[in-house]
Amino acid sequence: MTTNKHLFGAIGWTPEAIDTLDGKTFVITGANSGAGFEAARIFLRKGAKVVMLNRNPVKSTQAIADLKQEFGEKAELSFIQMDLAKLDSVRHAAAQILENVQQIDALICNGAIAQVAQQEMTVDGFESQLGVNHFGHFLLCGLLFERIEATGGRIVVVGSNAYKMGLKTIQFDDLNFNQNYSAWNAYAQSKLAQMMFAYELQRRIAASNANVQVQVCHPGASRTNLLKDTASRFNKILWAVLSRVIAQSAEKGAWPEVMCATQDNLKANKLYGPTSRAQTVGPVGECPLDEVALDRNMAAKLWQLSEEKTSLKWTL
């Protein structure tokens, strides 16, 4: 098994590996708090331009104010409102990006919801975690793909080790868990779908010689607000206690996505993230990848279904 030691030395990858990002533009979903916010901080510190795609305008305005206080008013930072739970919102945001953002060096699919206590449906008829984590990002990536390719840019999919837990499959006969909803199984399915999409996109890019790199990472166990608005009261309390002991900072949770957006010589069919304590914390490098994420038949079926559900036909 390849470990971080072989890739980046004993300490793993850190932002110190980045010299400068002057002239680069990074688009991040879910960037007003947590790992997305910390990724934006790193990009700005290295001289890049950042475009945030967030649902909440009030929190976004505050996040921008905080970052400009840290980096100065000249910091190139902007916000476009987008709700991943609403496909029309994704289409509108993508249109704004195409109009106003001339290059995309990396689109980072960071936004997510997790452990939704009771089954909730999006306005488009998807189980909420699958809708936000997978379908919303699938549509966004497709709409922005040509702009990313014109830049020779990247797509970074932020997965989760939950992909290899739960049922370890895409439940095509009951995508929304109408029969037996489980917050954990639905979340695990949504993250598996995201990662399967990324690896299938890698294969399609390779077959078409498109000039886009796709990388997949996970943040490990990080102290973020991911469960704040969605999890059951019990899970919120449990995580509040456990995170003090087993989790790392949100900043370190951002390192894998920043690495995947900037580091040269990363490979396909890999998963990058923390490598210690069952890949929850520690040096950032290459992690073991369960074969379920590379199931080509399931991924092809998911791709076709995703095109149908989002009414977007990719050119790949």
Side-chain angles (χ1 to χ4, degrees), residues 4-314:
N4 64 291
K5 187 173 182 179
H6 295 102
L7 290 173
F8 310 113
I11 65 170
W13 186 93
T14 75
E16 297 305 313
I18 302 172
D19 181 17
T20 178
L21 296 173
D22 287 348
K24 302 283 189 181
T25 300
F26 298 92
V27 179
I28 314 173
T29 68
N32 60 21
S33 65
F37 178 82
E38 296 299 335
R41 287 185 70 228
I42 296 169
F43 292 137
L44 290 169
R45 187 165 66 241
K46 296 293 183 175
K49 178 179 179 179
V50 173
V51 180
M52 296 176 159
L53 300 180
N54 303 325
R55 179 177 59 86
N56 190 312
V58 175
K59 291 181 179 179
S60 300
T61 300
Q62 184 60 56
I64 289 175
D66 292 343
L67 290 169
K68 289 205 169 186
Q69 183 175 13
E70 181 175 358
F71 296 106
E73 287 299 320
K74 292 184 179 180
E76 295 190 89
L77 175 65
S78 60
F79 153 69
I80 292 174
Q81 186 175 11
M82 184 186 74
D83 186 346
L84 283 163
K86 301 176 181 178
L87 295 184
D88 279 347
S89 177
V90 175
R91 294 185 186 100
H92 182 67
Q96 288 184 269
I97 293 170
L98 293 175
E99 182 178 350
N100 298 300
V101 183
Q102 298 310 307
Q103 70 177 67
I104 301 175
D105 291 280
L107 167 62
I108 302 175
C109 300
N110 166 82
I113 59 173
Q115 303 293 327
V116 177
Q118 304 294 326
Q119 185 197 45
E120 296 181 12
M121 305 297 289
T122 71
V123 295
D124 301 290
F126 311 134
E127 185 279 317
S128 60
Q129 292 165 106
L130 188 64
V132 169
N133 300 347
H134 172 60
F135 286 124
H137 280 124
F138 179 91
L139 177 60
L140 181 67
C141 290
L143 292 172
L144 298 183
F145 188 82
E146 289 185 0
R147 181 62 48 84
I148 297 167
E149 183 177 22
T151 311
R154 306 185 187 193
I155 293 172
V156 178
V157 172
V158 181
S160 163
N161 275 327
Y163 84 96
K164 59 185 177 182
M165 303 173 193
L167 302 177
K168 287 183 68 170
T169 189
I170 305 299
Q171 208 172 242
F172 291 108
D173 59 341
D174 187 14
L175 273 178
N176 293 332
F177 287 85
N178 292 324
Q179 299 303 315
N180 187 22
Y181 180 79
S182 155
W184 178 252
N185 286 339
Y187 175 62
Q189 174 182 254
S190 75
K191 300 311 283 188
L192 175 60
Q194 268 194 289
M195 292 170 63
M196 277 190 162
F197 154 63
Y199 296 123
E200 176 67 10
L201 182 55
Q202 286 180 348
R203 290 188 286 268
R204 288 170 178 254
I205 286 171
S208 65
N209 293 315
N211 187 28
V212 175
Q213 184 180 153
V214 179
Q215 296 297 340
V216 186
C217 65
H218 74 93
S222 304
R223 291 187 287 273
T224 69
N225 293 327
L226 183 59
L227 303 184
K228 182 179 179 181
D229 297 325
T230 55
S232 67
R233 185 170 181 271
F234 173 79
N235 281 341
K236 289 177 186 177
I237 294 171
L238 179 63
W239 177 243
V241 174
L242 289 177
S243 64
R244 297 176 186 176
V245 180
I246 67 171
Q248 61 189 0
S249 66
E251 180 184 5
K252 287 189 176 180
W255 288 4
E257 61 191 73
V258 174
M259 181 192 78
C260 285
T262 60
Q263 178 68 35
D264 293 332
N265 302 317
L266 299 180
K267 300 176 182 178
N269 292 337
K270 301 297 182 184
L271 174 63
Y272 296 101
T275 55
S276 298
R277 286 196 236 158
Q279 295 84 55
T280 57
V281 296
V284 174
E286 183 184 325
C287 298
L289 180 61
D290 192 294
E291 287 296 316
V292 67
L294 301 175
D295 186 316
R296 294 191 175 210
N297 290 332
M298 200 184 306
K301 187 174 181 179
L302 175 65
W303 186 283
Q304 181 179 358
L305 177 69
S306 300
E307 287 190 328
E308 293 171 359
K309 295 292 187 182
T310 61
S311 299
L312 176 76
K313 181 69 175 177
W314 286 60

